[in-house]
Amino acid sequence: SFLFYVGKLGDEAVQRELIAENEAHGDMVLMPFEERYDKLSEKIKQVLSHVQEDFDFKYFMKLDDDSYVRPSELHTLIVAQPTEALYFGQRTLRGRPHRGSGHKWHLSAKVYFPEELPPYIEGFAYTLSADMVNYICRNRDMLKPLSGLDDISVALWLLALQVHPKHTNKFGHFPSMATPDAKCNDDAIILGHVEAPGLMRDLHAKVSAGNTFCPERPASNVLLTGSINLGPPSGSHPVPVLEGQTAEEVAEVFAAKHGLDAGQKAQVVNLVSQWIKQKMEERRLNQ
């Protein structure tokens, strides 16, 4: 079963539209909680409790609504996995908490003091075996949520059982100007962050016609690739700059990804500006 779990929205007109759509299609579960990003970890607890009570299942998968999925291939992949102690998806290693107070994924040292995150499955698509769902539901009142970071919350909750994430390269991201370093795999079964509804339909039409999954990105689209060292434990990170991108746009993406504060972001802007200026000068001299 594929279901959309939706909380209460502040807009009554939109809420009425959701109710009407659900009456027509029956693919939503309208939940009593408030739909807010910073309540996402609490939401996943309530969703798991609903699933536990209403379904007989071996696996549960949480998907973001901007993920493109190949259902039959996904079923084949999942049923080949263990039915116990499973925590499965695209794994991230050696991530760093975002300390900037205005960041969407802000995680203060008071709430989480280590400077490195545990290995976790990225939140756009993760799978849990039924026993892991049961564990979270049984202990939901004791398991502390990390606001909107449901993926890291789940990793920490399961770490108590020494259940570690199992990686697959069959889940990936849709590359865009906002995420120029995103990895896209033509063999992917799930492609996350396909944010525009029209883009989702175009992608489905493209795949249905037998074309490649990922958008073509010619090498000429990349102006240069620099590197920024954030120091231990994170180390150096490649920084691609696309044709037409400004230093501010590049710095915005990099700062958001790595949780940099305003001062650090300004340093990235200055550094990337120097790279772009040098590259433009090289082009001018080579003409």
Side-chain angles (χ1 to χ4, degrees):
S1 298
F2 285 86
L3 293 172
F4 294 91
Y5 284 84
V6 186
K8 292 182 178 179
L9 304 175
D11 190 321
E12 292 185 4
V14 175
Q15 192 73 34
R16 288 194 295 270
E17 290 179 9
L18 284 175
I19 292 171
E21 181 176 340
N22 194 40
E23 288 175 350
H25 300 286
D27 58 356
M28 293 186 201
V29 179
L30 302 179
M31 304 292 282
F33 54 78
E34 184 181 4
E35 187 71 52
R36 284 172 41 185
Y37 187 84
D38 63 350
K39 299 293 185 182
L40 192 53
S41 295
E42 284 293 350
K43 175 180 179 178
I44 195 64
K45 286 184 184 181
Q46 295 197 39
V47 169
L48 292 177
S49 295
H50 181 271
V51 170
Q52 175 91 337
E53 292 171 4
D54 285 27
F55 293 95
D56 180 17
F57 65 100
K58 292 182 180 179
Y59 308 97
F60 165 84
M61 169 168 274
K62 179 257 185 180
L63 285 165
D64 285 352
D65 60 4
D66 60 358
S67 296
Y68 182 86
V69 182
R70 291 169 159 169
S72 60
E73 291 89 344
L74 178 61
H75 179 268
T76 301
L77 176 67
I78 296 301
V79 297
Q81 305 306 315
T83 57
E84 295 182 348
L86 181 67
Y87 173 37
F88 180 72
Q90 180 168 287
R91 183 181 59 199
T92 289
L93 299 172
R94 302 184 67 82
R96 288 165 59 91
H98 296 277
R99 299 303 194 196
S101 59
H103 196 278
K104 181 180 181 181
W105 301 322
H106 170 63
L107 192 56
S108 71
K110 183 177 180 180
V111 173
Y112 182 86
F113 67 86
E115 289 303 318
E116 186 170 296
L117 297 171
Y120 65 95
I121 299 299
E122 294 191 23
F124 72 94
Y126 55 80
T127 302
L128 302 172
S129 52
D131 57 332
M132 296 297 96
V133 173
N134 180 264
Y135 165 76
I136 293 173
C137 293
R138 288 198 326 268
N139 298 282
R140 58 177 294 180
D141 293 335
M142 294 185 292
L143 296 173
K144 184 176 180 180
L146 296 178
S147 61
L149 305 175
D150 67 303
D151 45 9
I152 300 170
S153 295
V154 170
L156 290 169
W157 297 341
L158 299 185
L159 195 57
L161 299 178
Q162 290 299 297
V163 172
H164 303 286
K166 181 180 179 182
H167 177 69
T168 176
N169 60 5
K170 295 295 185 180
F171 299 174
H173 295 286
F174 189 85
S176 66
M177 286 291 287
T179 54
D181 58 344
K183 296 182 176 68
C184 184
N185 177 4
D186 279 321
D187 295 324
I189 291 173
I190 297 175
L191 201 57
H193 303 151
V194 186
E195 296 175 352
L199 183 60
M200 186 77 75
R201 288 191 291 269
D202 290 346
L203 181 61
H204 182 65
K206 182 180 179 182
V207 173
S208 299
N211 297 317
T212 57
F213 204 24
C214 301
E216 295 181 4
R217 287 165 74 196
S220 59
N221 195 33
V222 180
L223 174 67
L224 61 92
T225 301
S227 178
I228 293 179
N229 193 328
L230 296 178
S234 182
S236 295
H237 297 268
V239 184
V241 181
L242 304 187
E243 294 279 2
Q245 268 191 314
T246 66
E248 289 76 13
E249 290 172 339
V250 175
E252 182 70 30
V253 172
F254 189 82
K257 182 175 181 180
H258 298 286
L260 306 186
D261 59 30
Q264 293 169 318
K265 179 181 172 181
Q267 292 178 351
V268 175
V269 171
N270 290 334
L271 181 59
V272 176
S273 295
Q274 293 174 24
W275 294 347
I276 295 174
K277 182 179 179 181
Q278 182 179 355
K279 187 66 175 181
M280 293 298 101
E281 182 64 14
E282 289 176 1
R283 282 187 173 180
R284 187 185 67 81
L285 293 175
N286 290 330
Q287 285 178 347

